Amino acid sequence: MTTGGCHSGSMSKHIESPQHAELIAKVKEVRAAAIEHTRLAQELARERRRLIDTLLAEGFSQADLARELGVTRQAIQKMIAAGEDRQRR
């Protein structure tokens, strides 16, 4: 997803050298990788939430899960709340 920003036209008239063009290409590459990593992180967070929900439905307590995962019970609560917030949107 891209936005037009506050400038119109392309940046090509501002690229002064092959080195600048390489840097612009690298910025684009890094941006694309960051977008993909964000997508993967969101997907993994949804999967984690589904697994936590399944374990809770099978009788595990939040404290049990926290102990097993090496996190606090409050961290489990935040994971659950974050998933509920996403479901409401």
Side-chain angles (χ1 to χ4, degrees), residues 26-67:
K26 185 66 176 173
V27 167
K28 290 178 179 180
E29 178 185 325
V30 169
R31 180 179 183 273
I35 290 169
E36 178 62 12
H37 285 219
T38 298
R39 186 192 66 74
L40 289 171
Q42 291 169 342
E43 187 178 312
L44 290 169
R46 284 189 297 270
E47 179 65 12
R48 178 183 63 199
R49 171 63 198 276
R50 283 190 293 270
L51 294 167
I52 287 172
D53 286 347
T54 299
L55 289 166
L56 290 171
E58 292 180 3
F60 280 79
S61 70
Q62 290 180 8
D64 294 333
L65 292 175
R67 260 191 307 282

Short mmCIF file of all heavy atoms in Angstrom, two decimals, residues 26-67:
data_model
loop_
_atom_site.label_atom_id
_atom_site.label_comp_id
_atom_site.label_asym_id
_atom_site.label_seq_id
_atom_site.Cartn_x
_atom_site.Cartn_y
_atom_site.Cartn_z
N LYS A 26 17.27 0.39 -2.37
CA LYS A 26 17.43 -0.31 -1.08
C LYS A 26 16.33 0.08 -0.11
O LYS A 26 15.79 -0.76 0.61
CB LYS A 26 18.82 0.00 -0.50
CG LYS A 26 19.12 -0.77 0.75
CD LYS A 26 19.23 -2.26 0.47
CE LYS A 26 19.63 -3.00 1.73
NZ LYS A 26 19.60 -4.45 1.56
N VAL A 27 15.96 1.37 -0.07
CA VAL A 27 14.86 1.82 0.79
C VAL A 27 13.58 1.09 0.42
O VAL A 27 12.84 0.61 1.29
CB VAL A 27 14.67 3.35 0.69
CG1 VAL A 27 13.36 3.78 1.33
CG2 VAL A 27 15.83 4.08 1.34
N LYS A 28 13.32 0.98 -0.87
CA LYS A 28 12.11 0.27 -1.33
C LYS A 28 12.15 -1.20 -0.92
O LYS A 28 11.14 -1.76 -0.50
CB LYS A 28 11.96 0.39 -2.84
CG LYS A 28 11.60 1.80 -3.29
CD LYS A 28 11.51 1.87 -4.80
CE LYS A 28 11.13 3.25 -5.28
NZ LYS A 28 11.05 3.33 -6.75
N GLU A 29 13.32 -1.82 -1.04
CA GLU A 29 13.48 -3.23 -0.66
C GLU A 29 13.24 -3.42 0.84
O GLU A 29 12.51 -4.34 1.25
CB GLU A 29 14.89 -3.68 -1.03
CG GLU A 29 15.23 -5.10 -0.67
CD GLU A 29 16.69 -5.42 -0.97
OE1 GLU A 29 17.23 -4.89 -1.97
OE2 GLU A 29 17.27 -6.20 -0.20
N VAL A 30 13.83 -2.55 1.64
CA VAL A 30 13.67 -2.66 3.09
C VAL A 30 12.22 -2.40 3.49
O VAL A 30 11.67 -3.09 4.36
CB VAL A 30 14.64 -1.68 3.81
CG1 VAL A 30 14.32 -1.57 5.28
CG2 VAL A 30 16.08 -2.13 3.59
N ARG A 31 11.57 -1.44 2.84
CA ARG A 31 10.16 -1.16 3.13
C ARG A 31 9.29 -2.37 2.82
O ARG A 31 8.42 -2.74 3.61
CB ARG A 31 9.69 0.05 2.32
CG ARG A 31 8.24 0.41 2.57
CD ARG A 31 7.85 1.64 1.74
NE ARG A 31 6.49 2.02 2.02
CZ ARG A 31 5.43 1.52 1.38
NH1 ARG A 31 5.59 0.61 0.44
NH2 ARG A 31 4.21 1.91 1.70
N ALA A 32 9.53 -2.99 1.68
CA ALA A 32 8.75 -4.18 1.30
C ALA A 32 8.97 -5.30 2.31
O ALA A 32 8.01 -5.99 2.70
CB ALA A 32 9.14 -4.64 -0.10
N ALA A 33 10.20 -5.48 2.77
CA ALA A 33 10.48 -6.51 3.77
C ALA A 33 9.78 -6.20 5.09
O ALA A 33 9.23 -7.10 5.73
CB ALA A 33 12.00 -6.64 3.99
N ALA A 34 9.76 -4.93 5.48
CA ALA A 34 9.10 -4.54 6.73
C ALA A 34 7.59 -4.79 6.64
O ALA A 34 6.98 -5.27 7.60
CB ALA A 34 9.38 -3.07 7.04
N ILE A 35 7.01 -4.50 5.50
CA ILE A 35 5.57 -4.75 5.31
C ILE A 35 5.28 -6.24 5.41
O ILE A 35 4.32 -6.66 6.07
CB ILE A 35 5.09 -4.16 3.96
CG1 ILE A 35 5.11 -2.63 4.04
CG2 ILE A 35 3.71 -4.68 3.59
CD1 ILE A 35 4.93 -1.94 2.70
N GLU A 36 6.12 -7.06 4.79
CA GLU A 36 5.93 -8.52 4.85
C GLU A 36 6.10 -9.03 6.27
O GLU A 36 5.33 -9.87 6.74
CB GLU A 36 6.91 -9.22 3.90
CG GLU A 36 6.82 -10.73 3.94
CD GLU A 36 5.48 -11.30 3.50
OE1 GLU A 36 4.63 -10.58 2.95
OE2 GLU A 36 5.27 -12.52 3.73
N HIS A 37 7.07 -8.53 6.99
CA HIS A 37 7.28 -8.95 8.38
C HIS A 37 6.10 -8.57 9.25
O HIS A 37 5.69 -9.35 10.12
CB HIS A 37 8.58 -8.36 8.93
CG HIS A 37 9.80 -9.02 8.41
ND1 HIS A 37 10.91 -9.27 9.16
CD2 HIS A 37 10.09 -9.51 7.18
CE1 HIS A 37 11.83 -9.88 8.43
NE2 HIS A 37 11.35 -10.03 7.22
N THR A 38 5.54 -7.39 9.01
CA THR A 38 4.36 -6.97 9.77
C THR A 38 3.20 -7.90 9.49
O THR A 38 2.48 -8.32 10.41
CB THR A 38 3.99 -5.52 9.41
OG1 THR A 38 5.09 -4.67 9.77
CG2 THR A 38 2.74 -5.06 10.12
N ARG A 39 3.01 -8.26 8.22
CA ARG A 39 1.93 -9.18 7.86
C ARG A 39 2.11 -10.52 8.55
O ARG A 39 1.17 -11.09 9.11
CB ARG A 39 1.88 -9.37 6.34
CG ARG A 39 0.68 -10.19 5.86
CD ARG A 39 0.81 -10.61 4.41
NE ARG A 39 1.90 -11.53 4.18
CZ ARG A 39 1.88 -12.84 4.52
NH1 ARG A 39 0.83 -13.34 5.13
NH2 ARG A 39 2.91 -13.62 4.26
N LEU A 40 3.34 -11.03 8.54
CA LEU A 40 3.62 -12.32 9.19
C LEU A 40 3.41 -12.23 10.70
O LEU A 40 2.87 -13.16 11.31
CB LEU A 40 5.05 -12.77 8.88
CG LEU A 40 5.30 -13.24 7.45
CD1 LEU A 40 6.79 -13.46 7.21
CD2 LEU A 40 4.52 -14.50 7.15
N ALA A 41 3.84 -11.14 11.31
CA ALA A 41 3.66 -10.97 12.75
C ALA A 41 2.17 -10.96 13.11
O ALA A 41 1.75 -11.56 14.10
CB ALA A 41 4.34 -9.69 13.23
N GLN A 42 1.36 -10.30 12.29
CA GLN A 42 -0.08 -10.27 12.54
C GLN A 42 -0.68 -11.66 12.40
O GLN A 42 -1.54 -12.07 13.19
CB GLN A 42 -0.76 -9.28 11.59
CG GLN A 42 -0.41 -7.84 11.89
CD GLN A 42 -0.86 -6.88 10.81
OE1 GLN A 42 -1.14 -7.28 9.68
NE2 GLN A 42 -0.92 -5.61 11.15
N GLU A 43 -0.24 -12.39 11.39
CA GLU A 43 -0.73 -13.75 11.17
C GLU A 43 -0.36 -14.65 12.36
O GLU A 43 -1.18 -15.44 12.85
CB GLU A 43 -0.13 -14.30 9.89
CG GLU A 43 -0.66 -15.63 9.45
CD GLU A 43 -0.03 -16.07 8.13
OE1 GLU A 43 0.03 -15.26 7.19
OE2 GLU A 43 0.42 -17.23 8.06
N LEU A 44 0.87 -14.53 12.83
CA LEU A 44 1.32 -15.34 13.97
C LEU A 44 0.57 -14.96 15.25
O LEU A 44 0.23 -15.82 16.06
CB LEU A 44 2.83 -15.19 14.18
CG LEU A 44 3.68 -15.85 13.09
CD1 LEU A 44 5.14 -15.42 13.23
CD2 LEU A 44 3.55 -17.36 13.14
N ALA A 45 0.28 -13.69 15.42
CA ALA A 45 -0.48 -13.25 16.60
C ALA A 45 -1.90 -13.85 16.57
O ALA A 45 -2.42 -14.27 17.61
CB ALA A 45 -0.55 -11.72 16.66
N ARG A 46 -2.51 -13.90 15.38
CA ARG A 46 -3.85 -14.52 15.27
C ARG A 46 -3.78 -16.01 15.60
O ARG A 46 -4.64 -16.53 16.31
CB ARG A 46 -4.42 -14.31 13.87
CG ARG A 46 -4.93 -12.91 13.62
CD ARG A 46 -5.69 -12.80 12.30
NE ARG A 46 -4.85 -13.07 11.15
CZ ARG A 46 -4.15 -12.15 10.50
NH1 ARG A 46 -4.18 -10.89 10.88
NH2 ARG A 46 -3.41 -12.48 9.45
N GLU A 47 -2.75 -16.69 15.11
CA GLU A 47 -2.59 -18.12 15.39
C GLU A 47 -2.36 -18.35 16.88
O GLU A 47 -2.93 -19.26 17.48
CB GLU A 47 -1.43 -18.70 14.57
CG GLU A 47 -1.17 -20.16 14.83
CD GLU A 47 -2.30 -21.09 14.40
OE1 GLU A 47 -3.23 -20.65 13.68
OE2 GLU A 47 -2.26 -22.27 14.78
N ARG A 48 -1.52 -17.52 17.49
CA ARG A 48 -1.28 -17.63 18.94
C ARG A 48 -2.59 -17.46 19.70
O ARG A 48 -2.88 -18.22 20.62
CB ARG A 48 -0.26 -16.56 19.37
CG ARG A 48 0.01 -16.56 20.87
CD ARG A 48 0.95 -15.44 21.26
NE ARG A 48 0.34 -14.15 20.95
CZ ARG A 48 1.01 -13.02 20.84
NH1 ARG A 48 2.32 -12.99 20.98
NH2 ARG A 48 0.38 -11.90 20.58
N ARG A 49 -3.40 -16.50 19.29
CA ARG A 49 -4.69 -16.26 19.96
C ARG A 49 -5.60 -17.48 19.82
O ARG A 49 -6.25 -17.90 20.77
CB ARG A 49 -5.35 -15.01 19.36
CG ARG A 49 -6.78 -14.79 19.82
CD ARG A 49 -6.86 -14.55 21.33
NE ARG A 49 -8.20 -14.74 21.81
CZ ARG A 49 -9.16 -13.83 21.79
NH1 ARG A 49 -8.92 -12.65 21.31
NH2 ARG A 49 -10.34 -14.11 22.27
N ARG A 50 -5.64 -18.07 18.61
CA ARG A 50 -6.48 -19.26 18.41
C ARG A 50 -6.02 -20.40 19.32
O ARG A 50 -6.84 -21.11 19.92
CB ARG A 50 -6.44 -19.70 16.95
CG ARG A 50 -7.29 -18.86 16.03
CD ARG A 50 -7.42 -19.48 14.65
NE ARG A 50 -6.17 -19.50 13.91
CZ ARG A 50 -5.74 -18.54 13.10
NH1 ARG A 50 -6.47 -17.47 12.92
NH2 ARG A 50 -4.59 -18.65 12.47
N LEU A 51 -4.72 -20.59 19.43
CA LEU A 51 -4.18 -21.66 20.27
C LEU A 51 -4.48 -21.40 21.75
O LEU A 51 -4.87 -22.32 22.48
CB LEU A 51 -2.67 -21.80 20.04
CG LEU A 51 -2.28 -22.29 18.65
CD1 LEU A 51 -0.79 -22.10 18.43
CD2 LEU A 51 -2.69 -23.73 18.46
N ILE A 52 -4.32 -20.16 22.17
CA ILE A 52 -4.63 -19.81 23.57
C ILE A 52 -6.11 -20.05 23.84
O ILE A 52 -6.48 -20.63 24.87
CB ILE A 52 -4.22 -18.36 23.87
CG1 ILE A 52 -2.70 -18.26 23.96
CG2 ILE A 52 -4.87 -17.85 25.16
CD1 ILE A 52 -2.16 -16.84 24.07
N ASP A 53 -6.97 -19.61 22.92
CA ASP A 53 -8.42 -19.84 23.10
C ASP A 53 -8.74 -21.32 23.22
O ASP A 53 -9.55 -21.72 24.06
CB ASP A 53 -9.20 -19.23 21.94
CG ASP A 53 -9.27 -17.72 21.99
OD1 ASP A 53 -8.94 -17.12 23.03
OD2 ASP A 53 -9.66 -17.13 20.96
N THR A 54 -8.09 -22.14 22.40
CA THR A 54 -8.32 -23.59 22.44
C THR A 54 -7.89 -24.15 23.80
O THR A 54 -8.63 -24.93 24.41
CB THR A 54 -7.55 -24.29 21.31
OG1 THR A 54 -8.02 -23.79 20.06
CG2 THR A 54 -7.73 -25.79 21.36
N LEU A 55 -6.73 -23.75 24.27
CA LEU A 55 -6.24 -24.25 25.56
C LEU A 55 -7.14 -23.80 26.71
O LEU A 55 -7.43 -24.58 27.62
CB LEU A 55 -4.79 -23.82 25.79
CG LEU A 55 -3.78 -24.53 24.90
CD1 LEU A 55 -2.44 -23.81 24.93
CD2 LEU A 55 -3.62 -25.99 25.32
N LEU A 56 -7.60 -22.56 26.66
CA LEU A 56 -8.51 -22.07 27.70
C LEU A 56 -9.82 -22.85 27.67
O LEU A 56 -10.35 -23.22 28.72
CB LEU A 56 -8.77 -20.57 27.52
CG LEU A 56 -7.59 -19.64 27.82
CD1 LEU A 56 -7.91 -18.21 27.40
CD2 LEU A 56 -7.20 -19.70 29.29
N ALA A 57 -10.32 -23.14 26.47
CA ALA A 57 -11.57 -23.90 26.34
C ALA A 57 -11.40 -25.33 26.85
O ALA A 57 -12.37 -25.96 27.29
CB ALA A 57 -12.02 -23.92 24.89
N GLU A 58 -10.17 -25.84 26.80
CA GLU A 58 -9.90 -27.20 27.28
C GLU A 58 -9.56 -27.24 28.77
O GLU A 58 -9.17 -28.30 29.28
CB GLU A 58 -8.79 -27.82 26.44
CG GLU A 58 -9.24 -28.09 25.02
CD GLU A 58 -8.16 -28.72 24.16
OE1 GLU A 58 -7.06 -29.01 24.67
OE2 GLU A 58 -8.43 -28.91 22.96
N GLY A 59 -9.71 -26.11 29.45
CA GLY A 59 -9.57 -26.11 30.90
C GLY A 59 -8.28 -25.53 31.46
O GLY A 59 -8.12 -25.47 32.68
N PHE A 60 -7.38 -25.11 30.61
CA PHE A 60 -6.18 -24.46 31.13
C PHE A 60 -6.57 -23.09 31.68
O PHE A 60 -7.43 -22.41 31.13
CB PHE A 60 -5.14 -24.25 30.02
CG PHE A 60 -4.32 -25.47 29.70
CD1 PHE A 60 -4.85 -26.48 28.91
CD2 PHE A 60 -3.03 -25.59 30.18
CE1 PHE A 60 -4.10 -27.60 28.60
CE2 PHE A 60 -2.27 -26.71 29.87
CZ PHE A 60 -2.81 -27.72 29.09
N SER A 61 -5.92 -22.69 32.74
CA SER A 61 -6.16 -21.34 33.26
C SER A 61 -5.15 -20.38 32.64
O SER A 61 -4.13 -20.80 32.07
CB SER A 61 -5.99 -21.32 34.78
OG SER A 61 -4.63 -21.50 35.14
N GLN A 62 -5.42 -19.09 32.78
CA GLN A 62 -4.46 -18.09 32.31
C GLN A 62 -3.13 -18.25 33.04
O GLN A 62 -2.06 -18.12 32.43
CB GLN A 62 -5.01 -16.69 32.51
CG GLN A 62 -6.16 -16.36 31.58
CD GLN A 62 -6.70 -14.96 31.80
OE1 GLN A 62 -6.14 -14.17 32.55
NE2 GLN A 62 -7.81 -14.65 31.13
N ALA A 63 -3.19 -18.58 34.32
CA ALA A 63 -1.97 -18.78 35.10
C ALA A 63 -1.18 -19.99 34.58
O ALA A 63 0.05 -19.94 34.49
CB ALA A 63 -2.30 -18.95 36.58
N ASP A 64 -1.90 -21.07 34.23
CA ASP A 64 -1.24 -22.26 33.65
C ASP A 64 -0.49 -21.88 32.37
O ASP A 64 0.67 -22.25 32.18
CB ASP A 64 -2.26 -23.36 33.29
CG ASP A 64 -2.96 -23.97 34.49
OD1 ASP A 64 -2.37 -23.97 35.59
OD2 ASP A 64 -4.10 -24.44 34.31
N LEU A 65 -1.19 -21.16 31.49
CA LEU A 65 -0.57 -20.77 30.22
C LEU A 65 0.63 -19.85 30.45
O LEU A 65 1.67 -20.01 29.81
CB LEU A 65 -1.59 -20.07 29.33
CG LEU A 65 -2.72 -20.94 28.79
CD1 LEU A 65 -3.72 -20.10 28.02
CD2 LEU A 65 -2.15 -22.03 27.90
N ALA A 66 0.49 -18.93 31.36
CA ALA A 66 1.58 -18.00 31.66
C ALA A 66 2.81 -18.77 32.12
O ALA A 66 3.93 -18.51 31.66
CB ALA A 66 1.15 -16.99 32.72
N ARG A 67 2.61 -19.73 33.02
CA ARG A 67 3.74 -20.55 33.50
C ARG A 67 4.40 -21.30 32.36
O ARG A 67 5.62 -21.32 32.22
CB ARG A 67 3.26 -21.53 34.56
CG ARG A 67 3.53 -21.11 35.99
CD ARG A 67 3.26 -22.25 36.97
NE ARG A 67 1.93 -22.86 36.84
CZ ARG A 67 0.81 -22.33 37.32
NH1 ARG A 67 0.83 -21.19 37.96
NH2 ARG A 67 -0.34 -22.96 37.16
#
